[in-house]
Amino acid sequence: MANDTLTITDNRTGKTYEIPVENDTIRAMDLRQIRVNEDDFGLMSYDPAFGNTASCKSKVTFIDGGKGILRYRGYPIEQLADNSSFLEVAYLLLYGELPTKEQYKEWQNGVVHHTIIHENIKKFIDGFRYDAHPMGMLLGTVGALSTFYPEAKEIFDEQSRELQIHRLIAKMPTIAAFCYRHRVGLPYVYPDNDLTYVGNFLNMMFRMTELKYKPNPVIEKAIDILFMLHADHEQNCSTNAMRNVGSSHADPYSSTAAAIGALYGPLHGGANEAVLIMLNQIGSKDKIPAFIKSVKAGETRLMGFGHRVYKAYDPRARIIKNKAHEVFEETGRNPLLDIALELEKIALEDDYFIKRRLYPNVDFYSGLIYQSMGLHPSMFTVMFAIPRTAGWLAQWKEMLSDDELKIARPRQVYLGAGERDYVPLDDR
Ligand code: CMC
């Protein structure tokens, strides 16, 4: 018997099956042969939240949740955060290698070339209610881009695919900033392509009457690092949405809109906004014990804590926590930081959190930084969506070149009624 197999005995029939093990996984399809009789459909695995199911093979991002390790294409996140830039990291995720000087210049120019959006997009952003949530506006607007670029449907045409990738990376900050300006009732600011990717984003967000916007270098650098940290995170809820929708051969704008929808939820990217709301609700350090009690009683969750994959300190949270102090030296200390630090201290010493291996995640401190930079909490998840677009597209591109690509179509365990006859309305 080969070593790299799994032997399964079906106690219902007494039959034994030998199933290959490859990359520490078995293929769920190999279970189908396990049947009690000829009419049996065959055995399936049941895993409603993908808790223990690999949905793809990927070379983009590696996470060891037990050890708190995160690597993009093999490079540790700490090294990238210290030495790289978001645009370089986006290139790395999308093309598999760090760019040479020449490749980087070409990539940067290619992205800059697409930062402007069609004037009609501005008009329909205008159509959103004055208080529309920026994530809702972002979702709708990115989805609508597919109507401006119908050739995006040609997903197997490499040239078209590359064009849409450049457009999406370039236009996300513009759309995000326009949604923000709409929300606060300020005129839209057009891209300034002399600035860096992040510098230009700050220009579109915050420029008032000055002729030339000069980004604060500390804030520009901090956002660049935050963007790198958020750029990819393997098969999370929104990336799975991107792959899932993309598997039907939908265009990348529609798939990205679906991913934005998934990110919006408070259990995913929406957690950074939820953390700020939570810290404000707690209000002062003396209220923390009562809050922790309500978390332990299951009445609420400690937002920004816990992760499906990390069962150790999220490495991104560690980098952000350290960065926060540098930003606060520039912007003034966010008064909510004291509540956050105390909350973290108490939670990390508490049995409830220790037993469940709940540690701060990427969203615990990022909102505090964004708020101190003057961003409204409704923009926090948008700040997650901009860089994650690079990861979504890298995973989408990888999926399209996978020779096992098929439309995603999960199975279900049907527990409903058996066949029954229709009863006319008058007889019910
Ligand atoms: N506060 C209190 N209890 C928690 C928390 C929390 N934040 N997270 C998990 N638990 C408990 C949960 O109640 C459960 O306890 P029990 O075993 O007694 O029922 C146990 O820990 C396991 O939780 P789970 O819900 O089965 O874990 P999951 O892997 O399905 O959920 C999570 C992961 C991130 C959705 C969850 O930890 C959570 O809701 N955290 C708060 C929201 C948050 O910060 N989300 C951002 C995640 S990181 C950024 C991103 O990738 O989007």
Side-chain angles (χ1 to χ4, degrees), residues 49 230 233 236-238 262-263 265-272 274-275 295-296 298 300-311 314 316 352-353 356-364 384 388:
H230 285 87
H233 212 234
N236 52 83
C237 182
S238 56
L263 189 73
L267 297 188
H268 191 8
N272 53 16
V275 168
V295 171
K296 286 159 67 175
T300 184
R301 283 205 162 189
L302 175 49
M303 299 311 284
F305 256 68
H307 201 276
R308 171 63 60 79
V309 180
Y310 291 122
K311 300 301 167 199
D314 181 337
R316 303 167 299 172
Y352 175 96
F353 297 91
R356 291 169 179 77
R357 301 175 77 187
L358 301 172
Y359 293 89
N361 59 48
V362 69
D363 292 316
F364 194 65
F384 194 150
R388 183 54 61 88

Side-chain angles (χ1 to χ4, degrees), residues 196-254:
T196 63
Y197 187 81
V198 171
N200 171 46
F201 174 61
L202 291 170
N203 157 64
M204 294 186 290
M205 289 284 289
F206 297 122
R207 194 175 127 208
M208 298 303 280
T209 54
E210 63 271 42
L211 285 179
K212 183 94 183 158
Y213 181 82
K214 285 202 190 78
N216 175 319
V218 175
I219 292 186
E220 188 180 358
K221 181 73 200 149
I223 294 188
D224 200 42
I225 291 173
L226 283 159
F227 276 9
M228 285 188 261
L229 301 181
H230 285 87
D232 195 49
H233 212 234
E234 52 120 303
Q235 307 313 310
N236 52 83
C237 182
S238 56
T239 302
N240 183 54
M242 180 89 190
R243 281 183 177 257
N244 218 303
V245 174
S247 77
S248 76
H249 297 184
D251 68 82
Y253 301 104
S254 304

Side-chain angles (χ1 to χ4, degrees), residues 351-407:
D351 248 10
Y352 175 96
F353 297 91
I354 295 170
K355 229 170 66 195
R356 291 169 179 77
R357 301 175 77 187
L358 301 172
Y359 293 89
N361 59 48
V362 69
D363 292 316
F364 194 65
Y365 287 104
S366 60
L368 291 176
I369 300 190
Y370 290 141
Q371 191 190 39
S372 68
M373 290 172 178
L375 285 167
H376 188 268
S378 62
M379 273 303 284
F380 295 176
T381 313
V382 173
M383 298 295 285
F384 194 150
I386 297 170
R388 183 54 61 88
T389 301
W392 289 332
L393 289 167
Q395 302 265 352
W396 171 77
K397 208 162 100 102
E398 182 180 68
M399 178 193 73
L400 292 178
S401 64
D402 189 335
D403 54 15
E404 287 192 279
L405 170 64
K406 273 181 178 232
I407 186 167

Side-chain angles (χ1 to χ4, degrees), residues 154-163 397:
E154 305 304 328
I155 55 166
F156 293 109
D157 174 337
E158 199 185 333
Q159 237 181 332
S160 164
R161 214 163 52 202
E162 284 306 311
L163 181 58
K397 208 162 100 102

Side-chain angles (χ1 to χ4, degrees), residues 9 231 341:
T9 303
L341 288 170

